Amino acid sequence: MLMRTDPFREMDRIVQQLSGTSGTWSRPSVMPMDAYRAGDEYVIAFDLPGVSTEAIDIDVERNMLTVKAERRPAAKGDTVQMELSERPLGVFSRQVVLADTLDTEHIEADYDAGVLTLRIPIAERAKPRKIAIGHESGRKQISG
């Protein structure tokens, strides 16, 4: 149902994790995701812990789904001295090419416990349908 658009993005993600590099708007980090089909919908879940809903941007153009998010550092005062900082900050992005069999006009998005979940219905034209056999000279008719 989906294809990765850039085979080198996964390598970039691993290098960024190992080097501790934060994503920028010009070169965002890749966010982890899961994708699966559940009944008549396709579900994509992105891990975005610590990101506010205002910092998440979801766009779909034709069959290209783009999710961008920014995790900013917690508010710090003059008296705060950082002892350890392992949580990645910066800009995260993921682009996914969606199949023509998905209804991109009716995507639903929910954000709960740091997980952004997109639910994309399977288009009616892509669902299985029965084909009736006509009674006249054995011609087949397609119903649906």
Side-chain angles (χ1 to χ4, degrees):
M1 288 290 180
L2 61 93
M3 299 182 313
R4 291 180 186 246
T5 59
D6 184 357
F8 299 103
R9 298 273 293 195
E10 187 66 16
M11 288 177 40
D12 285 345
R13 182 185 68 78
I14 292 169
V15 169
Q16 286 176 347
Q17 279 183 335
L18 294 174
S19 67
T21 308
S22 296
T24 63
W25 283 104
S26 61
R27 189 161 176 81
S29 299
V30 176
M31 64 188 82
M33 69 174 233
D34 290 335
Y36 55 92
R37 182 173 177 164
D40 285 343
E41 64 185 8
Y42 202 71
V43 180
I44 304 175
F46 299 92
D47 279 350
L48 295 171
V51 176
S52 69
T53 55
E54 296 81 27
I56 300 173
D57 186 36
I58 306 167
D59 289 316
V60 65
E61 183 177 341
R62 295 185 190 158
N63 288 2
M64 178 68 72
L65 172 72
T66 303
V67 178
K68 278 193 173 184
E70 183 176 12
R71 184 178 307 128
R72 298 176 182 104
K76 299 176 186 167
D78 294 335
T79 60
V80 175
Q81 180 179 346
M82 184 61 75
E83 295 292 329
L84 180 65
S85 180
E86 292 181 346
R87 298 178 357 178
L89 301 173
V91 180
F92 301 86
S93 179
R94 194 74 184 246
Q95 285 190 315
V96 179
V97 177
L98 302 175
D100 290 334
T101 56
L102 299 176
D103 184 359
T104 59
E105 297 293 321
H106 296 96
I107 296 175
E108 294 180 7
D110 294 308
Y111 186 62
D112 183 41
V115 178
L116 173 67
T117 304
L118 304 179
R119 297 182 183 285
I120 310 165
I122 305 294
E124 287 298 320
R125 68 182 181 278
K127 292 180 182 176
R129 60 188 183 279
K130 295 288 183 186
I131 299 174
I133 300 174
H135 297 292
E136 296 179 37
S137 59
R139 276 189 270 156
K140 295 181 180 179
Q141 292 178 324
I142 298 175
S143 61

